[in-house]
Amino acid sequence: MPLFKYKAVTAEGRVTEGTLEAADQKTALAKLQEQGQLPIRVVSSEDKGFFGSELTLPWKRKRVRRADLLVFTQELATLTGAGLPLDRSLTILSGLTENEYLRAIVKELLREIKGGKSLSDSMETYPHVFPKLYVSMVKAGEAGGALDVILLRLIEYLEEAEELRNYFTSSMIYPLILGGVSSAAIILMVTFVIPKFADIFENAGAPVPLPMRIMLGASGMIVGYWWAILLFIIGSVVLIKRYLASEQGRHQLDSALLRLPLIGTLMTQLEVSRFSRTLGTLLKSAVPMLQSINIVREVVGNTVVAGALEDVIAGVKKGDGLAKPLHETKVFPDFSIHLLEVGEETGKLDEMLIRVAEAYDRNVRNSVKRLVALFEPLIILFMGLVIGLMVVSMLYSIFSINNVPL
């Protein structure tokens, strides 16, 4: 029977940790509850990090990952949902949080709350850890006296966003590895294999064929001026990043991405999903419509879509509702507009927004699958042609040596 590590809180508020045997995680949770303990974290003892332990890279120690924020929210929701006061919950979490930087922030939140500040106001001091969406929902939960319910909605939102992000990342791993290995093979041939042919032709006293002269020229340039090429690449990347950091550059890039045949469709679906899920979660949490759209405008990654939301805000202020101003932007697909119209007619706009997000999440996954299915053979074909041309040129050069009269 597998072992599970656990951290729990007793009826007296004391934190305990240890291991227990159970058939699965659900059974382990039930056993702890039977013992009168409130489970905070229950994981398999076999769930370890790389090389059997969790490693923290030096440049990531002063950083709170989304996964860390999700775990913190889950634990806070568990404690507040069990009836523990907020200050007592944060006291417990200040000892449980594994991320050192987040642990220090939790201790600071606790200090400010004891000083009379609200949790949302304290979190607002750390925008790099708690996004505006997070703070606004917590503030709505505090105002309505339903912080535990709001935290559960936040957990659902963070889990869905993290799942979609992980799916996209995992889908791109194989194409990136394939492209990297193929590029490394080409660089190896150009820098080490092809230069050997210059010595062969020189020793044989044979003329160098045109294809080999071209490859030798490219090889000589890369080997002799690699530092200049590297500086050019670095300089180009810096200039491009600086241009894209400007408002004009970012807007041009986002406009171009939306116009691309396949990638444009994926980007639109991704932004519609992000917009709908964020706005639906905020409205469900009783955050006012105009404030919610302003928050969503900061969450949306594409500046074209974010700019269109300014017109939506103006339309909502005039009393046009949400669907009509969104339709006039010509950015959101008709399918999503029709669903939102139904949501407004039935008075269930928040629920319909979540449904739109779920529908477009599925579309995003399907679009990613199609893109990966398209790019994989294209990468293989392109790299195969490049390497194949190099091999054919080398074989042609070798055969030309045999034609040289002795």
Side-chain angles (χ1 to χ4, degrees):
M1 191 173 292
L3 285 173
F4 287 86
K5 295 179 181 179
Y6 71 87
K7 286 186 178 180
V9 179
T10 64
E12 296 79 21
R14 185 169 55 86
V15 178
T16 62
E17 56 182 300
T19 58
L20 57 83
E21 288 187 352
D24 51 30
Q25 189 180 45
K26 188 176 180 181
T27 307
L29 290 169
K31 282 187 176 182
L32 288 171
Q33 290 170 349
E34 289 172 1
Q35 296 171 6
Q37 300 188 70
L38 176 65
I40 300 297
R41 186 183 303 141
V42 178
V43 295
S44 172
S45 59
E46 298 177 356
D47 185 13
K48 299 178 180 179
F50 193 55
F51 292 121
S53 61
E54 294 185 0
L55 300 178
T56 304
L57 297 175
W59 54 86
K60 291 187 177 181
R61 286 175 186 165
K62 291 295 183 181
R63 175 174 171 263
V64 178
R65 298 175 302 149
R66 292 182 178 91
D68 296 327
L69 182 61
L70 174 59
V71 171
F72 165 79
T73 310
Q74 290 170 335
E75 293 174 348
L76 183 59
T78 301
L79 292 170
T80 55
L84 271 70
L86 182 59
D87 57 346
R88 181 58 181 161
S89 300
L90 290 176
T91 301
I92 293 171
L93 290 180
S94 65
L96 287 176
T97 306
E98 295 181 357
N99 185 296
E100 293 183 8
Y101 185 48
L102 181 56
R103 188 188 310 151
I105 291 175
V106 172
K107 290 179 180 178
E108 189 63 24
L109 292 178
L110 177 61
R111 187 187 66 79
E112 293 182 356
I113 287 171
K114 288 182 176 180
K117 290 183 70 174
S118 66
L119 178 61
S120 57
D121 289 340
S122 302
M123 287 179 169
E124 208 166 10
T125 314
Y126 306 96
H128 59 292
V129 177
F130 303 103
K132 194 170 183 180
L133 162 73
Y134 196 106
V135 175
S136 298
M137 288 183 63
V138 170
K139 187 174 292 186
E142 290 174 329
L147 181 60
D148 53 342
V149 176
I150 295 298
L151 288 172
L152 291 176
R153 289 177 184 160
L154 259 175
I155 290 168
E156 183 181 351
Y157 173 85
L158 292 173
E159 285 178 339
E160 291 291 338
E162 189 69 15
E163 181 184 351
L164 186 61
R165 188 179 298 107
N166 290 339
Y167 178 81
F168 184 79
T169 302
S170 60
S171 298
M172 295 305 296
I173 288 176
Y174 179 69
L176 288 174
I177 291 176
L178 182 63
V181 171
S182 302
S183 300
I186 292 174
I187 292 173
L188 183 67
M189 292 181 68
V190 170
T191 54
F192 292 100
V193 178
I194 293 176
K196 301 295 182 183
F197 279 79
D199 298 334
I200 294 174
F201 279 95
E202 185 178 349
N203 294 332
V208 182
L210 178 61
M212 183 55 64
R213 286 204 303 270
I214 296 173
M215 288 196 297
L216 285 173
S219 175
M221 182 178 296
I222 293 173
V223 174
Y225 299 97
W226 62 269
W227 54 271
I229 297 172
L230 184 61
L231 287 176
F232 175 77
I233 293 173
I234 294 174
S236 300
V237 170
V238 170
L239 289 175
I240 291 172
K241 287 186 68 175
R242 184 171 297 178
Y243 178 70
L244 294 180
S246 65
E247 186 176 344
Q248 179 185 0
R250 180 65 186 274
H251 186 79
Q252 288 183 352
L253 174 65
D254 289 340
S255 299
L257 288 175
L258 290 177
R259 289 195 298 267
L260 291 175
L262 293 176
I263 296 178
T265 303
L266 174 61
M267 295 298 296
T268 301
Q269 292 170 348
L270 189 61
E271 295 300 345
V272 171
S273 170
R274 186 179 295 170
F275 166 85
S276 303
R277 185 173 303 283
T278 307
L279 184 59
T281 304
L282 288 167
L283 293 179
K284 261 191 171 183
S285 305
V287 179
M289 173 69 82
L290 289 174
Q291 183 183 348
S292 298
I293 298 177
N294 274 312
I295 294 170
V296 173
R297 188 173 55 179
E298 297 181 8
V299 173
V300 168
N302 190 288
T303 57
V304 176
V305 179
L309 292 182
E310 294 182 5
D311 298 330
V312 175
I313 292 173
V316 172
K317 286 181 178 178
K318 290 191 298 183
D320 293 338
L322 180 65
K324 183 181 176 183
L326 282 176
H327 178 68
E328 291 174 352
T329 62
K330 307 297 182 183
V331 174
F332 289 78
D334 291 338
F335 176 70
S336 64
I337 301 297
H338 290 313
L339 289 179
L340 295 183
E341 287 175 347
V342 173
E344 288 181 327
E345 292 169 3
T346 58
K348 297 180 178 180
L349 181 59
D350 53 351
E351 295 181 9
M352 192 58 70
L353 282 163
I354 299 297
R355 291 188 182 181
V356 170
E358 292 172 350
Y360 278 89
D361 279 350
R362 290 191 293 270
N363 291 343
V364 167
R365 289 184 174 88
N366 292 332
S367 296
V368 170
K369 284 182 182 177
R370 286 195 293 268
L371 279 174
V372 171
L374 174 66
F375 281 138
E376 284 180 9
L378 285 178
I379 292 172
I380 294 173
L381 179 62
F382 176 74
M383 295 300 182
L385 283 173
V386 173
I387 296 175
L389 287 172
M390 294 172 69
V391 171
V392 168
S393 299
M394 288 187 288
L395 290 175
Y396 174 77
S397 303
I398 291 172
F399 292 147
S400 68
I401 295 176
N402 295 329
N403 297 328
V404 176
L406 299 175

